[in-house]
Amino acid sequence: MKRFAALFLIIFCVALTFEATAQMSKKEAKEWKKRIKALKPEQYKTLLDENKSLKGQMSSLKQQVSGVDDRIADKDDQISQLQSQVASLRDQLAEEKAKPAAPAGPAIGGNINDQEGIVFKVQIGAFKNKDLSKYLDAGDNFSGEVDENGLKRYSLGVFRDYWEADTFKKYLREMGVKDAWIVSFKDGSRVPIKEVLENVSKS
């Protein structure tokens, strides 16, 4: 019975390898026939088990490779989107650089000390009943004074140069401050602008 089973396995193995042996040379086919005859049933079973295991591993590897390919495709899509965004941002930056710069308003004094020497300010209003003193601490360039009649006068900007003050005055008028005009101070005290300009022209 054992011999019959062994013979059956050998015949089955020969049938499986028939297609492969058709492509072999006669010498190779003869050699493989010898090997098959010498093959024990246990060895054949082991070969079948190994073959099944290898096929399973191959299938698993194919699935892993397929998953890697999918992830690579996703990364490629993300890279493409990022490249498009970068190109768009570069175009926007180039457009912004190509735009003409907006005209800057005149400087309004910075940290000039209005208590020393001659300075010019732009008065924006004089009021009898309106008190804006609570806003005077909002900035160094917004100042106010009260004359002997109780008239409250408010000005913007501190300038050493008359023509800078004049430019600022025109700028304010364009913005709608129609009553803006230049006033002058010497060592912190208000003086007639005509007197200041005469002294400047003489020097």
Side-chain angles (χ1 to χ4, degrees), residues 6-203:
L7 181 61
F8 176 78
L9 287 174
I10 292 172
I11 294 172
F12 182 71
C13 185
V14 170
L16 289 176
T17 57
F18 176 76
E19 184 176 355
T21 55
Q23 299 176 0
M24 297 181 183
S25 65
K26 291 182 179 180
K27 184 177 180 180
E28 288 176 335
K30 188 176 181 180
E31 181 64 28
W32 275 104
K33 285 179 180 179
K34 289 181 180 180
R35 291 184 180 183
I36 291 172
K37 288 180 180 180
L39 193 65
K40 295 180 180 180
E42 294 82 1
Q43 294 174 326
Y44 182 72
K45 183 178 181 302
T46 300
L47 289 175
L48 289 178
D49 292 341
E50 290 179 356
N51 182 52
K52 183 178 180 180
S53 176
L54 290 172
K55 284 182 178 180
Q57 293 178 26
M58 181 64 70
S59 177
S60 177
L61 288 173
K62 285 181 178 179
Q63 291 178 358
Q64 292 179 20
V65 170
S66 178
V68 171
D69 289 341
D70 292 341
R71 289 196 293 272
I72 290 174
D74 291 340
K75 294 296 182 183
D76 288 341
D77 291 340
Q78 292 177 10
I79 291 171
S80 179
Q81 292 176 4
L82 290 173
Q83 288 175 339
S84 298
Q85 292 176 8
V86 169
S88 177
L89 290 172
R90 284 177 177 170
D91 292 340
Q92 292 178 20
L93 181 60
E95 290 177 3
E96 291 298 325
K97 287 183 177 180
K99 289 181 180 178
I108 58 175
N111 296 319
I112 294 175
N113 184 358
D114 61 357
Q115 301 299 310
E116 294 181 0
I118 296 173
V119 297
F120 302 94
K121 301 180 181 181
V122 179
Q123 186 167 306
I124 58 174
F127 311 100
K128 188 71 175 178
N129 300 319
K130 293 182 179 179
D131 186 2
L132 303 178
S133 59
K134 65 179 180 179
Y135 301 108
L136 295 178
D137 293 333
D140 295 336
N141 293 312
F142 181 46
S143 57
E145 56 180 327
V146 182
D147 65 10
E148 62 276 5
N149 298 319
L151 189 66
K152 303 173 185 67
R153 297 179 291 195
Y154 300 97
S155 57
L156 284 176
V158 183
F159 305 90
R160 293 292 183 190
D161 183 79
Y162 171 82
W163 297 109
E164 287 185 3
D166 187 61
T167 300
F168 185 52
K169 176 199 72 176
K170 293 176 181 177
Y171 189 72
L172 289 176
R173 287 184 177 180
E174 289 175 359
M175 294 173 63
V177 186
K178 301 300 182 183
D179 295 330
W181 74 92
I182 301 173
V183 293
S184 56
F185 293 80
K186 183 177 182 180
D187 296 328
S189 299
R190 185 164 180 152
V191 294
I193 194 167
K194 182 178 180 181
E195 176 184 328
V196 172
L197 292 179
E198 285 178 352
N199 292 333
V200 171
S201 62
K202 287 179 181 178
S203 61

